Amino acid sequence: MLGSYRSRHLARIGILGLIALVTGTRVSSYEPSPWGWVAAFAVVTALIFGPITWLIRDRVSKEQRERLSYVVTGIVLLCVPLVIGLGFVVEGFRFFIDVGVLGSVIGLAVTFLVERTVVPERFGGTAQ
């Protein structure tokens, strides 16, 4: 095993923090101000990984969630080459990637904090 759960969790948080720092410095240098885009990505990410995920955990069995995660992972992996290919064609692609990554990290952080402080245990990741 690669260390305890807590150390892996702290490593994930540290890496996400580093990614947010790097993309945040790049996003702050863009003109015009992209903070509206960052907020939009953060809200969408928080909704996907927050209420939608909590409802799925509450209503779908663990076995069904595992199968569903394979399907979603497959769809995402099929879309990655399309997004990268689009980046070669569309100008300003780095802007959207930076804004999307920063907004997503912020949305994940907000969701994590809400899940740990407000959401009942049966909806959070510790249930079942």
Side-chain angles (χ1 to χ4, degrees):
M1 192 157 202
L2 298 171
S4 71
Y5 172 79
R6 183 167 171 76
S7 63
R8 289 191 311 260
H9 190 66
L10 289 174
R12 281 187 216 120
I13 290 172
I15 289 170
L16 284 175
L18 183 62
I19 290 170
L21 179 67
V22 169
T23 58
T25 56
R26 286 200 306 234
V27 165
S28 65
S29 68
Y30 288 133
E31 292 294 330
S33 180
W35 297 109
W37 283 100
V38 172
F41 275 102
V43 167
V44 169
T45 301
L47 287 175
I48 290 172
F49 288 99
I52 293 172
T53 302
W54 299 328
L55 287 173
I56 289 172
R57 282 185 196 145
D58 187 46
R59 290 180 168 73
V60 178
S61 71
K62 189 173 182 177
E63 295 80 23
Q64 290 174 328
R65 286 196 316 258
E66 184 177 354
R67 277 181 274 167
L68 183 62
S69 71
Y70 291 141
V71 171
V72 170
T73 301
I75 292 170
V76 168
L77 289 175
L78 288 173
C79 290
V80 167
L82 295 173
V83 170
I84 292 172
L86 183 66
F88 290 128
V89 175
V90 176
E91 193 171 317
F93 181 70
R94 183 176 172 185
F95 168 81
F96 284 106
I97 291 294
D98 286 342
V99 167
V101 167
L102 182 60
S104 297
V105 169
I106 292 170
L108 284 172
V110 168
T111 302
F112 175 77
L113 290 174
V114 168
E115 186 172 296
R116 296 291 181 244
T117 58
V118 178
V119 176
E121 189 174 319
R122 70 183 187 118
F123 290 123
T126 59
Q128 282 187 337

